[in-house]
C-alpha cells in the first residue's frame, strides 16, 4: 500500500481524489493506479503518417506524443507533423503552448545540458532555445503574442520557491527577467499585455506592470488558485476572505469591488466566459482534499442569477471560444473503474459525451490546475464545435480524441497516439 500511496502522490490532486472516492480495497486500487500510469508503446507512434511541414497552422492540434515528441496534427488525424524527433530518457519535452495567432509554439526541454525554453514557428523553422536555470512547468503567451511568461521552481534566500519570469524573444541577452517569486503562484495576462495579475502564496493578489511597478489588490485572499482578467480589460475576478466568510468578487481593473458573485466555504474554482457575461464555478467543501470537486454553477455577472448546471461531482470546466457552451468533467464509472465523463452545457441543457480514463499527463499535470491552463491551452476548436482530450476509452483504446458536438453520445474520433493535446486559437 505504501507503493500505491507514492504513486498517487505522483498523480497529484486528481490521483488523491481517486483514493478518497473509489471506495475499493488496496489490491483493486493498486491495479487502477498501475493502469493509469501505463503509457502507450512508443512503437504505436511509428504507425502514424509523418507529413511534411504544415502550410497552415489554423485549426490544428498540438500534441505531446506517446513517444515524448511534439506534433502538430490535423483535426481528422490525417496530417501529423513532428516538431521534435529526438525525445528519449535523456531528452524530455513538455508544456507545448500555442501563441495567440497560432504562428508559433513554445515548450520546455530538459536534457543533459540543463533546462531550456524553446520557441519555434509552427512549421519548425526559426527555432530558438534559451537556457533557463529551472525547467518551465507552465507557459503562457501574452495576448499580443510578442512575449511570454512562465512559471518555474526558484530559490529565494536559499529557500525553495517559484518564480514568474517574462520572456521577450526579440530582446537578445536580456530576453528573460524575473517578475516575482512565491509559492504557490498563479497569474493572468491583461488583454493588452501591459500587466500581469498574480495570486501568490494563497494570500496576495497583485498587479505587476511589465516595467516593474506593483499594485496590491488584496492581502488576505480567499482560497482559490488562478485569478482572471476579463477580455475587455476592465474587470478582474478573484476571491477574498474576512473573519466571517469568503467571497468571489468581480472588481474593476483597480480592484474596487463591483459585485459579489457568491460566498463560499472551503475553496472556489472559477472561469469567466469570453464575453464576460457569465462565471462558472465550483465551491469545494473544506474537508475535501481535491482542488475542485462539487456541484457546478453558472452566475450571470449583471443580474447575479445563478443556475446549477449539475450536482454531479465536477472536476474541471471550460468555456467555448464563442462563450455559448461549457464543457465539464464529472466523475463516472468506466467499466469497473473510476473515471470521468464529458458533458457540454449549451445554456439550456447538458449533453453527455465520452467516458474515459485520462492520460497520466492530463491527470497529473493539467487537470489539477485546469483553471490556469484554461487561460492559455484551449481544448475547444476555434469554431466551438468540438473539443480534444487524451486518455483511454471504455473499449481500452488510448490516444488523442476529438469530440464533435453533432449528436449526444456521438463517439469521439481517435487522431493518433498522445498524452496531452491543445487546439490552436485560430
Amino acid at each position: 500500500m505504501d507503493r500505491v500511496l507514492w504513486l498517487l502522490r505522483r498523480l497529484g490532486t486528481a490521483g488523491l481524489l481517486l483514493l478518497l472516492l473509489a471506495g475499493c480495497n488496496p489490491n483493486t486500487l493498486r491495479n487502477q493506479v498501475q493502469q493509469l500510469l501505463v503509457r502507450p508503446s512508443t512503437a504505436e507512434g511509428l504507425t502514424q503518417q509523418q507529413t511534411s511541414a504544415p502550410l497552415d497552422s489554423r485549426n490544428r492540434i498540438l500534441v505531446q506524443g506517446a513517444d515524448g515528441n511534439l506534433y502538430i496534427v490535423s483535426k481528422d488525424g490525417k496530417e501529423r507533423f513532428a516538431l521534435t524527433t529526438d525525445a528519449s530518457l535523456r531528452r524530455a519535452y513538455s508544456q507545448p503552448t500555442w501563441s495567440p495567432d497560432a504562428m508559433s509554439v513554445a515548450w520546455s526541454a530538459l536534457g543533459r545540458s540543463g533546462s531550456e525554453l524553446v520557441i519555434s514557428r509552427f512549421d519548425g523553422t526559426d527555432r530558438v532555445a534559451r537556457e533557463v536555470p529551472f525547467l518551465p512547468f507552465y507557459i503562457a503567451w501574452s495576448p499580443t503574442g510578442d512575449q511570454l511568461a512562465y512559471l518555474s521552481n526558484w530559490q529565494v534566500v536559499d529557500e525553495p520557491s517559484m518564480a514568474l519570469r517574462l520572456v521577450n524573444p526579440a530582446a537578445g541577452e536580456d530576453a528573460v527577467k524575473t517578475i516575482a517569486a512565491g509559492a504557490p503562484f498563479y497569474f493572468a495576462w491583461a488583454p493588452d499585455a501591459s500587466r500581469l495579475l498574480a495570486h501568490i502564496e494563497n494570500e496576495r493578489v497583485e498587479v505587476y506592470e511589465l516595467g516593474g511597478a506593483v499594485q496590491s489588490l488584496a492581502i488576505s485572499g480567499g482560497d482559490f488558485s488562478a485569478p482572471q482578467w476579463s477580455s475587455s480589460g476592465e474587470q478582474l475576478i478573484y476571491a477574498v476572505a474576512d473573519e466571517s466568510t469568503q467571497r468571489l468578487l468581480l472588481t474593476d481593473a483597480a480592484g474596487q469591488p463591483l459585485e459579489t458573485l457568491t460566498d463560499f466555504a472551503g475553496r472556489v474554482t472559477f472561469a469567466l466566459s469570453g464575453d464576460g457575461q457569465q462565471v462558472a464555478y465550483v465551491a469545494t467543501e473544506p474537508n475535501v482534499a481535491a482542488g475542485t470537486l462539487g456541484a457546478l454553477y453558472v452566475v450571470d455577472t449583471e443580474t447575479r442569477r445563478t443556475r446549477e448546471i449539475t450536482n454531479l461531482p465536477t472536476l474541471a470546466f471550460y468555456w467555448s471560444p464563442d462563450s455559448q457552451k461549457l464543457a465539464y468533467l464529472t466523475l463516472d464509472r468506466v467499466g469497473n473503474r473510476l473515471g470521468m465523463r464529458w458533458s457540454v452545457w449549451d445554456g439550456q441543457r447538458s449533453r453527455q459525451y465520452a467516458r474515459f480514463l485520462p492520460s497520466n499527463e492530463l491527470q497529473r499535470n493539467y487537470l489539477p490546475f485546469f483553471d490556469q491552463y484554461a487561460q492559455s491551452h484551449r481544448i475547444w476548436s476555434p469554431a466551438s464545435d468540438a473539443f480534444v482530450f487524451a486518455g483511454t476509452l471504455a473499449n481500452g483504446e488510448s490516444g488523442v480524441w476529438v469530440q464533435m458536438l453533432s449528436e449526444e453520445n456521438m463517439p469521439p474520433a481517435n487522431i493518433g497516439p498522445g498524452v496531452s493535446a491543445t487546439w490552436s486559437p485560430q
Side-chain angles (χ1 to χ4, degrees):
M1 190 62 181
D2 290 341
R3 170 67 174 170
V4 173
L5 292 175
W6 178 81
L7 290 173
L8 285 170
R9 281 195 292 270
R10 289 198 62 196
L11 285 173
T13 302
L16 180 59
L17 178 61
L18 295 180
L19 175 62
L20 294 172
L21 299 179
C24 53
N25 63 52
N27 289 333
T28 303
L29 181 60
R30 181 179 294 107
N31 291 336
Q32 291 190 4
V33 171
Q34 289 172 345
Q35 290 180 52
L36 279 172
L37 289 174
V38 169
R39 297 181 66 180
S41 169
T42 55
E44 184 180 3
L46 300 178
T47 66
Q48 299 299 306
Q49 179 183 6
Q50 303 298 316
T51 65
S52 58
L55 299 177
D56 194 345
S57 58
R58 290 174 296 181
N59 209 18
R60 294 294 197 270
I61 297 170
L62 181 56
V63 172
Q64 183 173 347
D67 61 357
N69 284 303
L70 307 180
Y71 298 88
I72 294 193
V73 185
S74 60
K75 67 177 183 178
D76 58 8
K78 293 181 180 179
E79 299 176 18
R80 188 177 181 91
F81 168 67
L83 274 174
T84 68
T85 58
D86 58 346
S88 67
L89 293 177
R90 298 178 179 178
R91 187 158 182 83
Y93 301 112
S94 63
Q95 296 295 312
T97 311
W98 287 106
S99 65
D101 61 2
M103 296 301 292
S104 299
V105 178
W107 65 87
S108 299
L110 180 64
R112 282 185 167 183
S113 60
S115 302
E116 295 176 333
L117 176 68
V118 185
I119 302 172
S120 167
R121 278 181 53 86
F122 71 91
D123 59 4
T125 62
D126 298 334
R127 185 170 301 188
V128 175
R130 298 193 179 278
E131 293 185 3
V132 291
F134 295 95
L135 187 71
F137 55 74
Y138 173 72
I139 302 169
W141 287 86
S142 66
T144 51
D146 57 345
Q147 300 182 83
L148 52 82
Y150 75 83
L151 294 174
S152 71
N153 291 333
W154 203 246
Q155 290 289 121
V156 177
V157 193
D158 296 326
E159 292 293 329
S161 186
M162 295 165 59
L164 171 64
R165 309 194 78 208
L166 184 67
V167 182
N168 183 344
E173 293 183 359
D174 299 323
V176 185
K177 65 178 180 179
T178 303
I179 300 297
F185 203 120
Y186 299 88
F187 71 92
W189 278 101
D192 65 359
S194 66
R195 292 165 291 173
L196 291 154
L197 173 65
H199 179 215
I200 310 170
E201 296 177 343
N202 288 326
E203 182 176 324
R204 300 164 10 233
V205 180
E206 299 174 339
V207 173
Y208 288 83
E209 303 279 349
L210 299 193
V214 182
Q215 178 187 5
S216 176
L217 303 184
I219 296 299
S220 181
D223 194 354
F224 74 104
S225 52
Q228 193 168 350
W229 218 301
S230 71
S231 59
S232 68
E234 298 176 354
Q235 298 171 330
L236 312 174
I237 296 186
Y238 55 88
V240 297
D242 56 34
E243 294 180 356
S244 60
T245 189
Q246 299 187 88
R247 294 176 294 142
L248 180 60
L249 292 183
L250 181 70
T251 79
D252 65 17
Q256 295 301 309
L258 301 174
E259 295 283 351
T260 295
L261 299 175
T262 189
D263 53 26
F264 63 96
R267 177 181 176 86
V268 69
T269 316
F270 52 88
L272 177 67
S273 60
D275 60 11
Q277 295 182 5
Q278 300 180 97
V279 176
Y281 70 89
V282 168
T284 303
E285 293 296 325
N287 60 346
V288 175
T292 302
L293 185 68
L296 174 63
Y297 296 89
V298 168
V299 56
D300 187 285
T301 56
E302 292 187 4
T303 66
R304 290 189 58 191
R305 178 195 175 197
T306 301
R307 287 172 283 182
E308 183 182 78
I309 307 307
T310 181
N311 60 6
L312 295 173
T314 302
L315 298 163
F317 43 92
Y318 308 83
W319 285 106
S320 60
D322 65 6
S323 301
Q324 302 302 305
K325 294 173 280 291
L326 183 68
Y328 59 93
L329 278 171
T330 55
L331 291 175
D332 210 327
R333 301 299 301 184
V334 180
N336 61 354
R337 298 173 59 188
L338 183 64
M340 302 177 188
R341 187 170 194 176
W342 285 106
S343 296
V344 175
W345 179 69
D346 62 7
Q348 301 297 323
R349 56 162 293 190
S350 290
R351 296 178 181 271
Q352 292 185 316
Y353 292 95
R355 292 184 177 93
F356 77 111
L357 301 168
S359 69
N360 185 35
E361 183 73 11
L362 178 61
Q363 178 158 326
R364 183 177 64 188
N365 292 330
Y366 288 87
L367 288 181
F369 316 103
F370 80 90
D371 50 340
Q372 179 72 84
Y373 280 100
Q375 301 186 46
S376 55
H377 294 63
R378 282 189 174 180
I379 69 163
W380 281 96
S381 68
S384 300
D385 61 354
F387 60 87
V388 66
F389 63 97
T392 303
L393 300 189
N395 63 7
E397 188 175 359
S398 298
V400 175
W401 304 88
V402 168
Q403 177 68 71
M404 299 298 298
L405 303 189
S406 304
E407 300 177 13
E408 188 171 11
N409 292 319
M410 179 180 181
N414 191 318
I415 63 168
V419 296
S420 72
T422 177
W423 218 304
S424 62
Q426 305 289 335

